[in-house]
Amino acid sequence: MVETILFVLAAAGALAGAVTVVLARNPIYSAVGLLGTLFSVAVLYVVQLAHLVAAVQVIVYAGAVMTLFLFVIMLIGVDKEEKREENLPRQRLWVGAVAGVIILFAAGVAVFGDFAWVPAATGPVDQEATNGTVQAIAEPLFTDWVLAFEATALLLTIAAAGAVVLAMFRRKRN
Amino acid sequence: MIDLLWLVIALPLGGAAFLHFFGRYVREPLSGWLASAAIGTAFFIAAIAAVPFFQGEAEPSTIPIWEWMPALGANFELLWDPLAALMTLVVTGVGTLIHVFAIGYMHGDERFHRFFTNLNLFAASMLTLVLAGNYAMLFLGWELVGLCSYLLIGFWHTRPTAAAAAKKAFVVNRIGDLGFMIGLMVVFATFSTFSYSGIFERAGEELTGGLATAIGLLFLVGAAGKSAQIPLYVWLPDAMEGPTPVSALIHAATMVTAGVYVIARSAPIYEFTPFASTVVASVGALTAIWAASIALAQRDIKKVLAYSTISQLGFMFLAVGATAYVAGIFHLMTHAFFKALLFLGAGSVIHAMSDEQDMHRMGGLFRKMPVTAVTMAIGALALAGIPPLAGFWSKDEILAADFARGGWFYFLWIIGLITALLTAFYITRLWVLVFLGEPRWEEKAHPHESPRVMTLPLIALAALSFVGGLVNTPFRLTLEHFLEPSFEGVHIQHATDDWLTLAILAGLSILAAAAGAGAGYLAYRRPPERWRRFEDSFEPLWGTWEQAYGVDDLYGLTLVTPGRRLAEAAAFSFDAGVVDGAVNGVGRVVRGMGDWIRPLQTGFVRNYGVLFLAGAVVVVAWLVAGGS
Amino acid sequence: MVDVGWYMALAAALFLIGALGMLLRRNALVMFMCIELMLNAVNLTLISAGRALNDLDGQVAVFFILVVAAAEVVVGLAIIVAIFRRRATASVDELSELRG
């Protein structure tokens, strides 16, 4: 029962934030909308016992990444709005048509069809097995996935170096 | 000594390699002496290795050196039998004398060491050819001597005529080589090996029907190219553009006899095709009289000798075609002696006259250069066939063998006899025009006897031309017994045993030779106006002979010009139009497709995004629908 | 206990919104945020499916996606800044030099 209430609230927040991201004319509002979605999704993680991931979501995403976004928005200028005229008028029609088809199809399947979202799902959820505490996540992370873990370290190093190189961009002197 | 036989090839090859890389550091005469020493040593090794054959107790043996393509029977292996031994001795012996002569002749040439590099390389190639134990290696040598011939004809490559002559020799030889190559392929297709022993042992079983005739005729095409027979002889007269020692070594004594050697070597194949043999003999006889008649009217001293060489090679073909292989090889040997002598003598004369080759501007040189005159007289008499000089014995043996063969060969015998008469005439004309009569050269020419390094080889060759014929006389057939192991199981045409017939035949050929020589002497001993009128009285025949029957013009009109047209059409119409058009067309099609498909790249990220998403939707739809 | 299907439907809706924003907006920053939306949608499916399957690997995978997303944000924002400093615009439609 608690889960149902939390799910409805969080889902509503996530969707509202997402719609704000897309529709807001000012990027600042988009960023705030995204922030809302990230928090709502974090709530959904907690509901599903993914404690560590939820914490990381809040600390890294909502904390660090969104700060970075806002910083760049401020750097580039908040007052710049998108132009009204569309360079690709047909794109809107196309995207609208595709989206409409997908929505209709998905709704049709969800409502009328006997659609298994997770076909291999096995009965009731085992609270013990899926309790995503730090200890529980750490064990597979440092055993089965240790190679991928090391690779992410390399990836982050490269990303940091790449960011520094791009930031060193200077206009050529005449 | 037979274990060291590879040195016979390796020494001149090493000499060539050394002179090629270090020749420029060796002073002028020394590089020539080094080259001469290389081939001279080869001669001594070959001579010692040949001793068992002279004693008549050794069997032919094959000496493997290196496995090249064992599956094809094509290895580097030397076949050491009397035939190869004789050829090796001729090549190295005459070659050494010519090398020494060239030291004097090429004196002062700025590419002196380069000349000896090529000369040594030629010797190595020719020895590869004659010592080869299979047809593949023989062909290797065959092509290498062609290359060396090209290099040496065009030695003075700054002269346009020399460059053109070298090219002509090369191209004409290609035609012959094509025939030879096809012949070799037929041989390989039949026997699945290139090895002599493998082929000759099974010749009787495999060569059925027209196969032997086909091989024989294809080999004849190759031999006709290399040995300058009708219709491929046209390169040899032009080859006289090369230095005279080259003419003596390559275009008289050794390389041009390769065709005769190949036919003699292939005797076990010709054994099964009397038809091909008869064709060989007929081509030889026709070439002999054809070239002899042209030689009558030439003014250039080297041209006379060139046509004479073609004519004498015709004699050799006449012999091997009549299956008188021993007579052919015998004539090959004596011809190597006296024709090398005549060429070197001509070289001595040309050297003395400061590169004058026109006999009309010579005359009276006997007193200026007696050694050359006397040695050349010996060579001339040997060529004319005056006994007891070398040429008489070999030529007479050929004619007697043809007579003994009978039938169609009676006709060839008559041609040979007439050719002998013409030969005696033109060589006497040459000698008289050069050495007798009043001097017709300008005073500043200052002819002089050549240095000893040139005259000594002349004397040596004169001695060989004098006594060389005695190795195979009807009274004592030494050479025939010597060569017997090489022609085991092959029918060899002999002269008749009947002494009276033999004497009559000999008498006839002596008569022809004497008549020719006498007529030549009487006609040209007179003052120039008289012999000029004598030549004019033969018009228009004499002019035709002087123009060599216009064969060069005929070939130019019928072969060279259409060939050039074809090449131009291929280059400027076919290649530029069709081939280039196809290549450019492919490019144009690709470019057109690029132009057509290019708008897909709009440069708008969101466009790409739509396509991306559409692709993702398709994939997901496929997965949802059941996948796989 | 909410059925896993609802989580999936929510994730699908978030993904679709993100994709539409990605395709319709021209501001590079907003497009970037839409990408983040889509990534979050995917993360949600992984968590939900992992729970339904009684498996922790789903959460581990999300952990990696978070790392990759962080790296991507760093580089992507650096590129946007670099472009802005050169062109003084954040609109992707004005960056079409690579058209065919």
Side-chain angles (χ1 to χ4, degrees):
Chain A
M1 192 63 203
V2 181
E3 189 186 342
T4 313
I5 296 167
L6 282 175
F7 176 79
V8 172
L9 289 176
L15 287 173
V19 171
T20 312
V21 170
V22 176
L23 294 184
R25 206 160 295 156
N26 191 326
I28 286 282
Y29 295 150
S30 295
V32 173
L34 182 61
L35 202 56
T37 305
L38 293 175
F39 267 116
S40 306
V41 172
V43 170
L44 291 175
Y45 289 170
V46 173
V47 169
Q48 297 189 78
L49 302 178
H51 306 296
L52 177 65
V53 175
V56 171
Q57 169 100 345
V58 171
I59 295 165
V60 174
Y61 246 125
V65 170
M66 285 321 295
T67 311
L68 207 53
F69 262 106
L70 287 169
F71 182 75
V72 172
I73 292 166
M74 292 309 180
L75 188 72
I76 286 175
V78 283
D79 48 342
K80 290 206 171 155
E81 295 191 354
E82 278 179 40
K83 282 188 228 141
R84 292 267 96 186
E85 66 268 26
E86 172 61 273
N87 288 329
L88 301 164
R90 261 185 285 171
Q91 172 117 342
R92 278 201 176 156
L93 291 174
W94 270 101
V95 172
V98 170
V101 167
I102 291 172
I103 289 166
L104 283 176
F105 182 74
V109 168
V111 175
F112 302 107
D114 182 19
F115 187 75
W117 289 93
V118 183
T122 51
V125 174
D126 181 350
Q127 297 278 346
E128 285 298 310
T130 57
N131 196 1
T133 60
V134 174
Q135 205 177 0
I137 295 292
E139 209 202 318
L141 194 63
F142 291 115
T143 53
D144 294 346
W145 303 91
V146 68
L147 198 66
F149 183 78
E150 300 291 344
T152 54
L154 194 63
L155 177 73
L156 282 170
T157 312
I158 292 169
V164 170
V165 169
L166 285 165
M168 301 241 309
F169 167 87
R170 282 195 199 92
R171 281 197 187 81
K172 276 181 194 155
R173 293 193 187 107
N174 297 338
Chain B
M1 211 57 191
I2 214 164
D3 298 327
L4 290 176
L5 203 61
W6 58 276
L7 275 173
V8 172
I9 296 175
L11 277 172
L13 192 65
F18 177 81
L19 288 176
H20 179 81
F21 290 112
F22 307 110
R24 78 185 79 162
Y25 307 115
V26 182
R27 277 185 300 125
E28 188 194 285
L30 186 59
S31 52
W33 284 113
L34 278 175
S36 310
I39 188 166
T41 314
F43 172 75
F44 277 111
I45 292 171
I48 295 168
V51 164
F53 294 130
F54 289 117
Q55 293 164 339
E57 55 199 28
E59 285 295 303
S61 56
T62 307
I63 305 135
I65 292 182
W66 176 57
E67 288 206 338
W68 180 21
M69 296 182 281
L72 308 184
N75 296 318
F76 282 101
E77 54 185 2
L78 308 182
L79 174 61
W80 188 239
D81 72 343
L83 179 58
L86 184 71
M87 291 295 290
T88 306
L89 290 177
V90 169
V91 170
T92 51
V94 176
T96 306
L97 294 173
I98 293 171
H99 271 65
V100 173
F101 178 89
I103 294 170
Y105 189 83
M106 297 304 286
H107 170 72
D109 194 287
E110 57 186 14
R111 290 163 69 237
F112 186 84
H113 73 274
R114 181 70 66 216
F115 181 80
F116 282 95
T117 307
N118 292 347
L119 220 53
N120 253 0
L121 181 63
F122 167 78
S125 313
M126 188 71 201
L127 290 165
T128 307
L129 196 162
V130 297
L131 284 172
N134 54 62
Y135 278 112
M137 193 174 157
L138 177 137
F139 191 68
L140 182 76
W142 181 272
E143 290 298 332
L144 279 174
V145 292
L147 168 73
C148 296
S149 164
Y150 170 82
L151 290 174
L152 284 165
I153 294 169
F155 183 72
W156 289 313
H157 53 80
T158 45
R159 283 193 208 158
T161 46
K167 202 163 64 185
K168 184 174 178 181
F170 202 74
V171 170
V172 174
N173 265 303
R174 283 277 76 66
I175 300 171
D177 290 355
L178 181 68
F180 190 38
M181 221 144 76
I182 297 172
L184 288 179
M185 288 172 194
V186 175
V187 166
F188 187 77
T190 313
F191 295 97
S192 305
T193 180
F194 282 122
S195 137
Y196 290 149
S197 49
I199 291 167
F200 298 153
E201 272 166 20
R202 290 191 288 130
E205 311 152 29
E206 307 283 351
L207 291 176
T208 49
L211 211 52
T213 305
I215 294 169
L217 292 179
L218 285 166
F219 278 14
L220 172 62
V221 173
K226 194 64 82 192
S227 291
Q229 296 297 293
I230 286 175
L232 298 176
Y233 69 90
V234 289
W235 64 272
L236 188 56
D238 287 27
M240 295 301 126
E241 286 290 342
T244 306
V246 171
S247 311
L249 179 61
I250 300 184
H251 306 118
T254 56
M255 186 194 82
V256 289
T257 61
V260 182
Y261 170 75
V262 162
I263 291 179
R265 181 55 91 195
S266 311
I269 294 176
Y270 282 94
E271 178 84 355
F272 297 96
T273 169
F275 174 74
S277 287
T278 310
V279 173
V280 170
S282 308
V283 166
L286 186 62
T287 308
I289 193 164
W290 180 270
S293 65
I294 296 171
L296 289 177
Q298 297 300 311
R299 287 174 58 167
D300 184 327
I301 182 169
K302 283 184 76 178
K303 282 280 165 67
V304 176
L305 293 175
Y307 281 107
S308 163
T309 302
I310 297 171
S311 170
Q312 293 302 306
L313 288 166
F315 262 105
M316 295 173 211
F317 272 60
L318 183 57
V320 293
T323 69
Y325 298 110
V326 173
I329 296 296
F330 182 30
H331 195 56
L332 187 161
M333 182 186 92
T334 58
H335 176 255
F337 296 153
F338 61 69
K339 190 52 68 67
L341 167 61
L342 285 170
F343 263 114
L344 293 187
S348 177
V349 169
I350 293 165
H351 193 67
M353 298 288 294
S354 308
D355 294 333
E356 178 61 71
Q357 299 195 11
D358 187 348
M359 293 191 295
H360 285 197
R361 299 210 201 123
M362 294 178 183
L365 287 173
F366 193 99
R367 238 170 293 156
K368 297 282 183 186
M369 35 200 327
V371 179
T372 307
V374 170
T375 51
M376 264 190 98
I378 293 169
L381 291 175
L383 171 63
I386 304 292
L389 295 157
F392 165 74
W393 301 106
S394 53
K395 190 187 289 185
D396 200 50
E397 195 178 328
I398 292 172
L399 290 174
D402 275 285
F403 188 82
R405 184 90 192 244
W408 167 252
F409 286 85
Y410 281 131
F411 177 61
L412 300 183
W413 171 75
I414 291 169
I415 293 179
L417 207 56
I418 298 168
T419 307
L421 183 121
L422 297 178
T423 306
F425 181 86
Y426 68 67
I427 200 63
T428 313
R429 166 177 178 266
L430 179 144
W431 195 82
V432 173
L433 276 180
V434 172
F435 292 108
L436 299 183
E438 292 299 309
R440 296 183 295 279
W441 28 272
E442 291 163 21
E443 268 311 311
K444 60 179 178 176
H446 287 305
H448 53 84
E449 183 58 278
S450 299
R452 193 151 324 149
V453 70
M454 290 164 77
T455 51
L456 283 178
L458 286 178
I459 293 165
L461 283 168
L464 284 171
S465 304
F466 207 99
V467 300
L470 299 178
V471 299
N472 206 41
T473 63
F475 311 109
R476 199 183 160 81
L477 293 165
T478 316
L479 187 70
E480 182 137 359
H481 295 307
F482 176 72
L483 284 176
E484 238 161 34
S486 286
F487 294 106
E488 224 161 16
V490 176
H491 168 77
I492 294 180
Q493 182 66 47
H494 296 283
T496 171
D497 288 338
D498 181 8
W499 284 95
L500 184 63
T501 321
L502 212 55
I504 292 170
L505 288 174
L508 276 172
S509 63
I510 292 170
L511 199 65
Y521 180 80
L522 292 175
Y524 287 93
R525 189 67 189 87
R526 296 174 294 179
E529 317 79 71
R530 296 286 299 281
W531 54 257
R532 287 223 170 85
R533 211 180 310 144
F534 168 77
E535 289 183 357
D536 287 341
S537 66
F538 281 96
E539 289 297 350
L541 216 48
W542 196 269
T544 317
W545 290 338
E546 200 168 355
Q547 298 299 315
Y549 294 105
V551 169
D552 270 334
D553 294 335
L554 180 74
Y555 283 0
L557 212 61
T558 55
L559 296 172
V560 179
T561 310
R564 184 165 292 162
R565 292 255 168 76
L566 188 70
E568 278 168 2
F572 300 122
S573 304
F574 182 76
D575 187 59
V578 180
V579 177
D580 282 7
V583 172
N584 290 338
V586 169
R588 222 172 286 137
V589 165
V590 170
R591 190 148 113 198
M593 276 170 62
D595 280 343
W596 175 63
I597 213 163
R598 200 166 57 178
L600 228 59
Q601 296 277 329
T602 55
F604 292 113
V605 175
R606 295 180 301 145
N607 248 337
Y608 306 157
V610 171
L611 294 173
F612 194 88
L613 187 70
V617 167
V618 169
V619 171
V620 169
W622 184 60
L623 285 173
V624 168
S628 66
Chain C
M1 178 86 191
V2 179
D3 184 67
V4 69
W6 289 105
Y7 287 101
M8 290 297 182
L10 174 65
L14 285 176
F15 189 90
L16 192 66
I17 293 168
L20 288 174
M22 169 86 194
L23 297 176
L24 296 176
R25 294 299 297 260
R26 277 162 289 176
N27 189 319
L29 277 166
V30 177
M31 288 172 76
F32 221 138
M33 289 185 223
C34 292
I35 291 174
E36 298 303 327
L37 271 181
M38 290 191 280
L39 280 169
N40 263 282
V42 171
N43 283 350
L44 189 55
T45 62
L46 285 170
I47 297 273
S48 307
R51 188 167 76 126
L53 295 170
N54 287 334
D55 194 340
L56 270 178
D57 278 356
Q59 297 188 21
V60 177
V62 170
F63 195 81
F64 286 123
I65 292 178
L66 284 175
V67 175
V68 173
E72 174 230 341
V73 165
V74 169
V75 176
L77 287 177
I79 289 173
I80 290 173
V81 170
I83 290 172
F84 181 78
R85 277 161 65 174
R86 164 161 275 204
R87 307 286 298 264
T89 181
S91 169
V92 292
D93 279 6
E94 288 172 40
L95 306 169
S96 57
E97 274 80 8
L98 287 177
R99 80 170 84 72

